[in-house]
Amino acid sequence: MSSAKNAAVVNYAEKKHSVEIREIPVPEIGEEDILLEVENVGVCGSDLHQWTSDHSWPVNYPVVLGHEFGGKIASVGDRVTGWKTGDRVVSETAAIIDPQNPMSKTGLYNLDPTRKGFGYGVNGAMTRFVRVPARCLHSVPEGLPFEEACLTEPCSVAYNAVAVNSHIKPGDRVIVIGPGTIGILCAAVAKICGGDVAILGLEKDRGRLEIAKSYGVTPIINDASEWARKRDGLGADLIIDAAGISATLKIAMDLVRPNGQITKVGWGPTPCNFSLDPLVQKNVRLQGSFSHNWPIWEKVLGLLSSGTLDVKPIIGGIWPITEWHEAFEKMHSGEVVKSILKPV
């Protein structure tokens, strides 16, 4: 093991911009944990929300940020089987779950209300070593580099929203609202599922929409109503709302066809000040989608390693964690879709 203390990106208080580099000790592990030496960690929109303090979930301050990560096993707890030092792995985000919760018992531990995740509930991976329960691990296929493998998590969010929680058939017209990481990956997964896909953003999203185009989807700025109604005048079969605000649900209700579906995967704490009557009038299904579980991760790792899902276009750069501020800023301004950090 390296020096006793390692640099970490720590969110230390609720006040806006309460994030700094702190030296922290190598964590102690329990008998069912492994110690992971982090190779790469992705910056998520939720890391940015905690940094700007406009998040809507409880945070256990001070906490090391980062929940999109992969690396090599540095040591294993006494009761861990099936894993050994040196194994290349990625980790799921559900750091603490109640195995007795009815949701956990059905394999939907992501929906256990007491679940706590890396980067807000327990220390995350924007540092060199992180303690991980062995049940969270998945093997990274040879040939899949860590800077891509660390994005298994956002890909799993998108897979759950599109392939699990939405009904999508080849030829369906799909509109994704919001060209952030999750929006672009949702568009990519919808394309893999056979959808005819458009992605909607604002003027300031032009650069990110250009990146989305490389997935074979149609980028649209400001108004997607013409594209939605192009085929028979009725609207798109599926709207995936991946914007981090509540208000985009209004746009989704306008663009969706009668008997269609809206899947909301982006969230924001601001209340909606409009009527949900169009959902009733159009007989529309409104579906929430949160997180992911074991089988989804396995499917996504298969898609990544076969090249069916390629995350390279969205990676805007790799920064040492000591330069986290630049990585956060570039992503926050929309200059890059996804920033990735590397421990020092």
Side-chain angles (χ1 to χ4, degrees), residues 43 64 75 86 101 104 106 168 178 204 221 260 265 308 323:
V43 179
V64 179
S75 61
N101 185 276
S104 301
T106 58
I168 179 166
K204 68 179 173 66
I221 290 172
V265 63
T308 306
E323 289 171 33

Side-chain angles (χ1 to χ4, degrees), residues 208 211 314 316-317 319 327 330-339:
R208 298 194 291 184
I211 289 165
I314 65 168
W319 288 263
K330 281 203 184 314
M331 206 167 135
H332 192 244
S333 68
E335 190 183 326
V336 303
V337 176
K338 174 63 73 175
S339 295

Side-chain angles (χ1 to χ4, degrees), residues 38-43 68-71 88-90 140 143-155 304 310-319 338-342:
V38 180
E39 285 279 340
N40 287 108
V41 51
V43 179
E68 306 175 356
F69 61 100
R88 303 173 79 242
V89 292
V90 284
V140 174
L144 184 62
F146 279 116
E147 61 265 28
E148 294 173 39
C150 76
L151 301 186
T152 308
E153 196 277 338
C155 291
L304 289 171
D310 180 11
V311 290
K312 288 193 285 294
I314 65 168
I315 298 172
I318 301 174
W319 288 263
K338 174 63 73 175
S339 295
I340 290 178
L341 301 177
K342 187 155 182 68

Side-chain angles (χ1 to χ4, degrees), residues 225 228-237 253-258 282:
S225 36
R229 297 184 172 87
K230 194 172 177 183
R231 211 171 268 172
D232 61 6
L234 289 178
D237 300 279
M253 292 191 304
D254 177 52
L255 298 175
V256 71
R257 70 192 290 104
K282 286 181 166 184

